[in-house]
Amino acid sequence: MITKRIIPCLDVKNGRVVKGVNFEGLSDVSSPVELARYYSQNGADELVFYDITASAEGRRLFTDILTEVAKTIFIPLTVGGGINTLDDFDRVLKCGADKVSVNSGAIRNPQLVSQAAKRYGDQCVVLSVDIKRVDGVFRVFSKGGRENTGMEAIEWIRRCVSEGAGEVVVNSIDTDGVKGGFDLEMLSAVCDAVSVPVIASGGAGKIDDFTKLFKALPKVDAGLAASIFHFGEVEIKELKKVLRENGIPMRI
């Protein structure tokens, strides 16, 4: 049986890890290099590194810090933020990333997913989608959740997967940082639409939220979280132990 993955997320701004609520009100947490080392040594299955203001500020991702993080860890690393071209893919992969996450760049240039998949393989291309309900419809937001694209989210995800995205990170803006549990309704809709791995992001507040996620939606491959791991509210080793006790396959 394929094990489920637990993935901490480093949201990086100006070289520091930050965390907010509903994508707003960011506060400083720690050094990305130090946190990355800690997670690599303490049970994380993978790590996600987002340069969260690169797209909004119209600049390229910070590669010096990324290179340090990649050198520090011994688990797969997914990197996103300001990924707009194949050159950006090339740059972060050369810094040590294993997978590259695209969001706003794919919205601006819908050919980017297929071009990257052809050059680097589907397994390298991760589609990250920031989704918020607008009048009861799942809408795609860009630029770190600041801008409503007007696109319906499930159709957008289906399209990108058909063009070569090998994995989908579903970021629920409605539940981000609120710690009230994952957005099961949104995740269920995505799982029903695609057959590639789906990563749940936004809403984890306690161990039980992960148990509910994997029990309710067996198709979800991974749970991603930030603040509950950063602030020590949930220890990854303890989380995985409890999940395994609940019949959820885990790499311990």
Side-chain angles (χ1 to χ4, degrees):
M1 189 179 287
I2 296 173
T3 57
K4 302 299 185 184
R5 291 172 286 153
I6 301 299
I7 306 175
C9 177
L10 307 183
D11 291 325
V12 179
K13 180 182 182 184
N14 299 327
R16 298 284 293 176
V17 176
V18 296
K19 192 66 195 99
V21 176
N22 302 127
F23 284 34
E24 296 178 349
L26 301 175
S27 57
D28 184 86
V29 177
S30 182
S31 148
V33 178
E34 290 305 312
L35 262 188
R37 179 183 291 114
Y38 171 80
Y39 289 133
S40 181
Q41 293 171 351
N42 285 276
D45 294 299
E46 295 187 16
L47 191 67
V48 168
F49 178 111
Y50 285 141
D51 186 337
I52 59 170
T53 55
S55 289
E57 293 170 4
R59 60 169 172 77
R60 301 199 306 178
L61 182 141
F62 292 125
T63 49
D64 51 348
I65 297 164
L66 171 58
T67 303
E68 283 301 305
V69 167
K71 279 188 203 163
T72 301
I73 66 174
F74 300 96
I75 52 177
L77 175 64
T78 297
V79 176
I83 306 294
N84 296 297
T85 64
L86 288 181
D87 283 346
D88 292 328
F89 265 80
D90 206 49
R91 207 158 43 88
V92 299
L93 289 168
K94 282 176 176 164
C95 288
D98 299 284
K99 294 183 272 191
V100 182
S101 174
V102 290
N103 188 332
S104 297
I107 293 166
R108 277 191 292 272
N109 173 18
Q111 306 308 311
L112 182 59
V113 169
S114 59
Q115 290 168 352
K118 284 191 184 90
R119 180 176 292 185
Y120 303 107
D122 294 12
Q123 82 291 337
C124 181
V125 183
V126 179
L127 177 71
S128 179
V129 193
D130 298 333
I131 309 174
K132 187 174 183 177
R133 290 167 180 79
V134 180
D135 298 325
V137 178
F138 295 136
R139 296 290 182 197
V140 177
F141 278 65
S142 64
K143 297 183 179 175
R146 295 169 182 82
E147 196 172 281
N148 183 358
T149 66
M151 292 193 299
E152 196 279 320
I154 305 304
E155 195 46 52
W156 169 245
I157 291 168
R158 196 181 275 122
R159 173 183 168 184
C160 290
V161 168
S162 74
E163 296 195 351
E167 196 166 78
V168 179
V169 178
V170 180
N171 306 303
S172 171
I173 297 174
D174 295 322
T175 60
D176 174 70
V178 177
K179 300 184 181 177
F182 289 98
D183 198 325
L184 299 181
E185 180 193 22
M186 186 183 289
L187 289 160
S188 177
V190 175
C191 286
D192 288 345
V194 297
S195 56
V196 298
V198 172
I199 298 171
S201 171
K206 54 188 183 300
I207 286 177
D208 191 47
D209 292 332
F210 288 88
T211 308
K212 283 180 180 168
L213 168 70
F214 292 124
K215 291 270 193 189
L217 299 172
K219 285 185 180 177
V220 168
D221 285 79
L224 181 149
S227 60
I228 61 163
F229 296 145
H230 299 342
F231 298 119
E233 295 163 50
V234 171
E235 293 284 342
I236 292 176
K237 285 183 178 176
E238 175 63 16
L239 167 61
K240 293 174 92 170
K241 178 171 163 285
V242 172
L243 287 170
R244 187 185 252 188
E245 287 168 357
N246 277 273
I248 295 155
M250 283 282 132
R251 179 184 68 82
I252 301 292

